[in-house]
Amino acid sequence: MFSAIRSGTVCGIGSHLVQVEVDLSKGLPCFQMVGLLSSEVREARERVRVALKNSGITLPPMCINVNLSPADLRKEGTMFDLPVAVGILICLGRISQDSAADTIFLGELGLNGEVKPVRGVLPIVTKAKESGLRRCILPKDNAMEGAVVGGIEMIGVASIAEAAAYLQGVEEGKEGLIAPVRIDVESLWEEREEQTPDLADISGQEAVKRAIEVAAAGFHHLLMIGPPGSGKTMLAKRIPSILPPLSLQESLEVSAVYSVSGLLHTSREILITKRPFLNPHHTITGQALAGGGRVPVPGIVSLSHRGILFLDELPEFKRETLDILRQPLEDRVVQIARSSGVYVFPADFMLVGAMNPCPCGYYPDMARCRCTPYEVRRYLGRISGPILDRIDICVEAMPLQFREIERSRTGESSARIRERVLRARQMQTDRFQGGNLRFNADMGAVDVERFCRLGTGERKYMERMFRAMHLSARGYHRILKVARTIADLAGEAAIREEHLAEAICYRQVNAKYE
Amino acid sequence: MVGDMTEKETEKAYIHWLYQAAGMGSRTFLRDLEQVGTARAVYEMAARGVLADRLQDRYRKKGGKLQNAVKDYDVIGRYEEMTARGISMVTCREEGYPRRLAAIQDAPYVLYYAGSLPDEERHCVAVIGARSCTEYGKAMAKEFGAVLARAGILVISGMARGIDGIGQSAALEAGGYSMGVLGCGVDICYPSENRALYERLLAQGGVCSEYPPGTAPKAVLFPPRNRIISGLCDGLLVIEAKERSGTLITVDMALEQGREVYAVPGRVTDALSAGCNKLIRQGAGLVAAPEEFLEDLQAETAGNTGRFLSGRQLSFQIEGTQMEGTQKELLKLLDFQPSSMEALQEAYEDAYGRSIGIPKLCHTLVQLCVDGYAGQIGGSYYLKRRT
């Protein structure tokens, strides 16, 4: 008695389909599982045996062999419990092999026979659909997540008995025993609510707000420097509100990352509809930041894909931890090499850093600052050069004056700023059409020369600035990139002197502290 | 070998040995040793192991230490090695020892120096102040350092971070002479960030110390060197100081030594000006402008040999040369204390009744910075600078 049914496993944020083959034969009673299994897959034996027993099916004293094919692919996760159990039921003749045709099974079993949610449903279902499978039997809690893919029937089951009953129904021609879960993604997308705090909540800090606007428009990484309590965190949290809304395509990318991290069904969301905002504590390890583990799972940088990675108290992060950011900042992906292969996770985020200007936080207010010039310099020196090099915009947040708090002059609303950002983004889309650049921040030295041409007057101006401000070649390019974004925000085709001047104001921090 | 050196030089080589061997804080001991004989005689006694017996009881232990220090010490070789490195020494018994310094109580027995010693005929002023200073302090140190140098006055200071170093750098920049008094050996640059200043002092001025070359900087060595700073100068100018600070210790020493003390006033609310304001209240000369200061100095030293060049008129007002309206307006709002971009935005609105956008503000400020009227501190702080 032999059966073969389909299931799948996650690998990075991609997935592979797996065939679960079960054979029951006479011989000494045993239950063996093979096929390069990690321990949580191997433990399926115990869960399946007990879950079947508690569902009223006692395994006969036979030799049970389970093979997960392809046998040279490492299998991870708990989603094989349900397919193994169903395979055994087929071998026992309780369900016909035909009823499981073109169907993929996913699910973890509890000892009482219930089916529990698993992670990575979204990528596996996507793969199943691409391979032409028609139906997916999966945990009830994951059904919505899988339904997003569309074009494949999602049957959510709560227990192994329910799955068996459904399949028996299929055999008898009663297809609709459990209604497939359907989601109209388009209308779901339309109805999504976007509730992010508004920039208008913050009074004052006009300079920082403007810098944030420029950063958002050109996807420039941003560093905010300011004394404690100047509202750096509050400002950072409001950046998503001025970024363009997440598109459906982007949402699917982000949701896939959250799905393999097992965060999608726990957050009771069907899709990630808001731009991610992640705010890891400075004690975070490099592994947690970049992703890792024996079986790599996405790290914070991947969870902030298409969103904001906010690092508060930047110099407090360990240097090695920050250095890990170099690859994602450069390539917008994280590669994690393991003996089982190289795992690639997306990591296209906007880095927003915040820090105090010195250990005590009050420099350059010398009446309060207790730090020596050496300490101030060393504090900035804790952030490695290569990371600072990727940060185009640097701005200082002021200590809040009582007048500002009192006056509560509400600033511009996020919606209005977003309109300008969208317009600037549109200009960038038009400019980079056909190329592989998306935003001004992505431009390399060659692209800067091509896309940031200066007029004669502006070139003269920059020549003066170059000497007066002791700019480096890299700093010069950075200023041009930011000036391009500022010109885009103003809706101008050419970069003008005032755009350059503003970009110079945002230049790098170590160039400013003497 | 001894034949190559004059009697005097040879004696100095032995003094160098004695000074190193006796250790720091042995000034009285060294003076008393002169009763025993020349340094060479002391060395020879120590080499024979009879020195300790020739000394008073309280110096027995030190005598033993000297006897031990004779071993493996090449007196002449070590001295020649030092002079070959450009380091000279002068003792207080010698011609060429700074006269002003010799007059103070507790003058160092030996002064090591590299570069040159200050000209006895010229006026010396010490420009001192806090290490961690404000932008105002920096601007003033720069101003006074330069003006004094241009007036032909020698600037003495401690080559420390902050006011000391800035004042000395400005003096050298203006083509003047400056002497750095160190709290370590003269062959050591401390703080290391003042490397450029140190090199320039060696070339254009001098550095001196009472400690033998190779002495590492230690906290306890610095307060005693302050008496040399005040000892070398005729007048002392305090730019910025907190109410309880090392700078005020130097001031106390200067007063004991009978030097004139001047201070640059500051705002009552500034912690870093509290020391200066207190000094003024106690009777220190109030210095509001360099030319006044020069006049005061001249009056003070009337009949003295101090030579002055004409003090340049100091103009904090900016001549409005081809500046556009917004720049002028903004410049009026800038201060020597840094103000934030927001504060400027607000002040602009209060003063002129219209608002100025961040982009326009940036543009104007950058222009002012490049033209040298303003400076950018940190990210978004701006202040007025002299042209």
Side-chain angles (χ1 to χ4, degrees):
Chain A
M1 285 169 286
F2 167 82
S3 74
I5 60 172
R6 314 296 291 270
S7 186
T9 185
V10 181
C11 172
I13 60 154
S15 59
H16 294 286
L17 290 191
V18 171
Q19 177 142 298
V20 179
E21 300 164 353
V22 183
D23 179 77
L24 260 64
S25 39
K26 285 188 177 135
L28 282 175
C30 66
F31 194 152
Q32 282 180 16
M33 287 183 75
V34 293
L36 203 61
L37 312 176
S38 62
S39 53
E40 76 269 22
V41 181
R42 206 179 296 280
E43 283 160 7
R45 287 185 304 197
E46 273 60 51
R47 288 193 294 267
V48 167
R49 192 203 303 277
V50 179
L52 282 175
K53 190 205 86 183
N54 287 337
S55 305
I57 301 155
T58 313
L59 287 182
M62 294 177 83
C63 176
I64 304 171
N65 280 300
V66 177
N67 176 38
L68 270 55
S69 145
D72 62 347
L73 176 79
R74 183 133 189 111
K75 320 294 181 306
E76 316 281 356
T78 53
M79 64 282 271
F80 297 108
D81 294 5
L82 182 63
V84 169
V86 170
I88 291 172
L89 289 179
I90 292 173
C91 289
L92 288 175
R94 296 200 176 229
I95 306 167
S96 79
Q97 174 79 57
D98 293 344
S99 63
D102 289 339
T103 305
I104 179 167
F105 293 83
L106 301 169
E108 177 183 329
L109 291 182
L111 293 186
N112 57 357
E114 67 169 324
V115 178
K116 296 176 177 173
V118 295
R119 59 184 189 89
V121 166
L122 196 56
I124 297 176
V125 172
T126 309
K127 188 83 173 186
K129 186 201 159 193
E130 285 167 10
S131 321
L133 298 182
R134 287 189 304 110
R135 188 184 292 145
C136 176
I137 295 182
L138 78 173
K140 210 167 186 169
D141 290 345
N142 287 127
M144 295 284 260
E145 182 185 336
V148 169
V149 177
I152 176 165
E153 244 176 51
M154 286 298 130
I155 310 295
V157 293
S159 68
I160 188 153
E162 230 176 280
Y166 175 80
L167 289 167
Q168 281 158 3
V170 171
E171 197 187 345
E172 290 158 17
K174 294 187 285 185
E175 284 272 341
L177 208 58
I178 299 174
V181 175
R182 282 202 188 82
I183 289 178
D184 182 0
V185 177
E186 300 293 330
S187 62
L188 176 89
W189 193 249
E190 294 305 315
E191 285 162 21
R192 74 192 194 280
E193 275 175 46
E194 226 192 331
Q195 272 191 329
T196 40
D198 201 289
L199 263 179
D201 304 344
I202 300 172
S203 51
Q205 303 293 15
E206 294 305 321
V208 187
K209 283 186 192 168
R210 169 68 186 174
I212 286 177
E213 179 181 335
V214 177
F219 210 71
H220 299 283
H221 301 305
L222 173 74
L223 177 61
M224 289 186 282
I225 302 177
S230 56
K232 289 165 295 192
T233 314
M234 268 177 90
L235 284 159
K237 285 208 170 120
R238 283 158 178 75
I239 299 179
S241 71
I242 64 161
L243 286 170
L246 209 59
S247 72
L248 181 55
Q249 181 55 41
E250 286 177 324
S251 164
L252 288 173
E253 285 175 26
V254 178
S255 300
V257 178
Y258 278 71
S259 176
V260 298
S261 309
L263 294 172
L264 208 50
H265 64 263
T266 48
S267 66
R268 305 254 159 244
E269 274 182 271
I270 300 159
L271 274 179
I272 303 292
T273 54
K274 278 194 285 189
R275 288 205 181 266
F277 178 89
L278 278 100
N279 183 3
H281 189 249
H282 60 73
T283 52
I284 190 174
T285 62
Q287 249 189 7
L289 192 65
R294 193 179 52 79
V295 182
V297 290
I300 295 290
V301 290
S302 300
L303 291 177
S304 45
H305 180 59
R306 302 281 180 208
I308 308 260
L309 174 62
F310 177 55
L311 302 182
D312 206 354
E313 306 298 351
L314 201 56
E316 304 294 340
F317 281 82
K318 268 188 274 169
R319 212 185 163 93
E320 307 87 76
T321 312
L322 282 185
D323 274 343
I324 287 173
L325 288 176
R326 284 166 69 169
Q327 193 206 8
L329 285 175
E330 189 70 45
D331 306 333
R332 297 189 189 82
V333 291
V334 177
Q335 290 187 345
I336 299 167
R338 289 289 178 271
S339 57
S340 52
V342 176
Y343 296 76
V344 178
F345 295 111
D348 189 1
F349 54 86
M350 179 173 155
L351 176 66
V352 177
M355 60 185 284
N356 290 338
C358 63
C360 82
Y362 292 107
Y363 183 87
D365 182 355
M366 296 315 285
R368 294 171 81 185
C369 181
R370 307 222 155 273
C371 309
T372 64
Y374 173 70
E375 279 173 327
V376 174
R377 254 206 310 276
R378 208 180 52 159
Y379 195 66
L380 291 163
R382 281 198 219 164
I383 310 168
S384 72
I387 298 294
L388 276 181
D389 271 348
R390 313 251 175 270
I391 298 178
D392 290 341
I393 296 183
C394 169
V395 71
E396 201 144 348
M398 306 303 138
L400 225 54
Q401 304 296 319
F402 179 70
R403 226 169 125 188
E404 285 177 337
I405 308 168
E406 183 65 3
R407 194 173 35 186
S408 72
R409 175 176 70 183
T410 41
E412 244 182 327
S413 73
S414 289
R416 281 188 56 194
I417 301 172
R418 180 185 264 176
E419 273 170 36
R420 288 200 296 271
V421 169
L422 282 171
R423 219 170 37 227
R425 285 264 171 117
Q426 188 55 47
M427 283 188 76
Q428 294 169 53
T429 314
D430 296 346
R431 176 177 315 122
F432 301 129
Q433 219 153 33
N436 50 2
L437 299 175
R438 292 183 310 132
F439 305 114
N440 289 337
D442 301 347
M443 286 192 281
V446 181
D447 307 308
V448 167
E449 260 156 49
R450 194 170 143 216
F451 294 112
C452 305
R453 287 239 173 84
L454 298 181
T456 330
E458 285 76 26
R459 186 164 310 151
K460 277 217 181 91
Y461 180 75
M462 275 316 277
E463 203 182 310
R464 266 185 75 201
M465 290 298 157
F466 193 85
R467 263 175 306 174
M469 303 269 177
H470 310 292
L471 297 178
S472 65
R474 201 181 260 149
Y476 178 74
H477 282 137
R478 231 191 325 257
I479 287 171
L480 287 188
K481 280 197 279 187
V482 176
R484 183 62 264 170
T485 306
I486 295 168
D488 287 347
L489 274 172
E492 300 205 25
I495 300 176
R496 294 201 289 124
E497 198 180 293
E498 67 239 44
H499 306 145
L500 291 167
E502 191 181 342
I504 287 169
C505 286
Y506 300 138
R507 78 189 186 286
Q508 241 191 329
V509 54
N510 46 5
K512 293 177 192 168
Y513 286 89
E514 289 165 2
Chain B
M1 202 198 319
V2 181
D4 296 347
M5 290 169 77
T6 63
E7 187 86 8
K8 210 172 106 193
E9 287 295 295
T10 319
E11 175 63 13
K12 266 162 89 171
Y14 283 100
I15 293 174
H16 179 51
W17 163 78
L18 189 56
Y19 208 63
Q20 277 176 299
M24 250 68 75
S26 314
R27 283 190 293 270
T28 345
F29 172 54
L30 290 170
R31 265 171 235 276
D32 287 345
L33 263 185
E34 289 188 335
Q35 310 299 321
V36 178
T38 61
R40 188 170 186 167
V42 171
Y43 177 84
E44 274 155 11
M45 274 182 238
R48 286 205 310 275
V50 297
L51 179 67
D53 306 329
R54 298 279 300 269
L55 292 172
Q56 301 164 24
D57 284 348
R58 60 191 173 122
Y59 288 139
R60 279 277 153 77
K61 213 169 155 192
K62 280 194 168 167
K65 208 168 134 195
L66 286 187
Q67 284 173 14
N68 287 334
V70 173
K71 288 173 202 141
D72 301 327
Y73 189 93
D74 175 9
V75 176
I76 306 296
R78 290 282 280 273
Y79 181 74
E80 282 181 332
E81 193 189 317
M82 180 179 84
T83 48
R85 281 165 64 202
I87 300 170
S88 317
M89 61 180 278
V90 59
T91 66
C92 61
R93 300 274 175 260
E94 227 178 320
E95 194 68 16
Y97 188 88
R99 280 209 305 272
R100 281 170 277 225
L101 188 60
I104 71 167
Q105 246 212 331
D106 213 15
Y109 187 80
V110 168
L111 198 62
Y112 293 92
Y113 67 95
S116 57
L117 286 174
D119 185 348
E120 299 286 355
E121 301 304 310
R122 297 239 241 147
H123 222 75
C124 289
V125 169
V127 176
I128 58 165
R131 272 170 302 181
S132 141
C133 54
T134 67
E135 292 298 325
Y136 167 75
K138 285 184 195 170
M140 290 303 118
K142 220 168 179 173
E143 187 59 41
F144 281 98
V147 167
L148 288 172
R150 275 193 229 104
I153 294 169
L154 315 184
V155 176
I156 314 291
S157 199
M159 208 183 88
R161 285 186 198 106
I163 302 293
D164 286 18
I166 294 169
Q168 290 191 286
S169 295
L172 294 170
E173 197 70 42
Y177 169 94
S178 183
M179 158 113 328
V181 183
L182 308 186
C184 54
V186 292
D187 55 341
I188 292 170
C189 172
Y190 179 86
S192 56
E193 66 208 56
N194 277 345
R195 169 64 58 184
L197 171 60
Y198 175 78
E199 300 289 349
R200 202 159 175 188
L201 280 173
L202 290 184
Q204 201 180 328
V207 288
C208 67
S209 170
E210 65 173 313
Y211 307 118
T215 309
K218 266 191 233 136
V220 292
L221 302 184
F222 283 80
R225 70 103 192 238
N226 289 346
R227 79 183 195 286
I228 307 180
I229 297 182
S230 51
L232 279 170
C233 69
D234 304 298
L236 192 76
L237 175 63
V238 185
I239 303 279
E240 255 189 337
K242 288 199 175 166
E243 207 163 343
R244 296 162 59 91
S245 61
T247 306
L248 294 197
I249 295 175
T250 312
V251 169
D252 287 343
M253 290 177 170
L255 291 172
E256 274 172 29
Q257 296 163 2
R259 309 291 189 239
E260 283 299 315
V261 174
Y262 301 87
V264 176
R267 292 193 238 210
V268 187
T269 49
D270 284 357
L272 272 159
S273 286
C276 290
N277 292 343
K278 187 177 159 198
L279 285 176
I280 292 166
R281 208 177 104 80
Q282 291 171 346
L286 186 150
V287 177
E291 66 271 23
E292 274 176 27
F293 178 47
L294 292 180
E295 274 169 31
D296 285 355
L297 277 179
Q298 209 146 23
E300 205 60 53
T301 57
N304 211 338
T305 46
R307 184 160 61 87
F308 289 97
L309 305 178
S310 65
R312 191 181 62 109
Q313 192 69 20
L314 181 71
S315 60
F316 284 114
Q317 295 92 356
I318 312 289
E319 307 84 45
T321 45
Q322 42 155 303
M323 223 190 279
E324 61 147 316
T326 328
Q327 282 184 26
K328 249 188 218 165
E329 286 172 346
L330 211 52
L331 196 55
K332 280 187 199 147
L333 302 176
L334 283 174
D335 191 3
F336 280 95
Q337 297 289 351
S339 6
S340 71
M341 230 181 324
E342 250 102 82
L344 286 173
Q345 202 181 17
E346 208 158 276
Y348 190 90
E349 208 176 323
D350 289 349
Y352 304 112
R354 36 197 164 116
S355 56
I356 182 166
I358 292 286
K360 177 79 185 156
L361 191 63
C362 283
H363 188 196
T364 318
L365 286 171
V366 167
Q367 198 61 49
L368 285 171
C369 287
V370 168
D371 294 344
Y373 293 111
Q376 185 182 16
I377 304 300
S380 326
Y381 289 88
Y382 292 85
L383 47 73
K384 197 194 283 188
R385 282 209 206 287
R386 290 198 60 253
T387 40

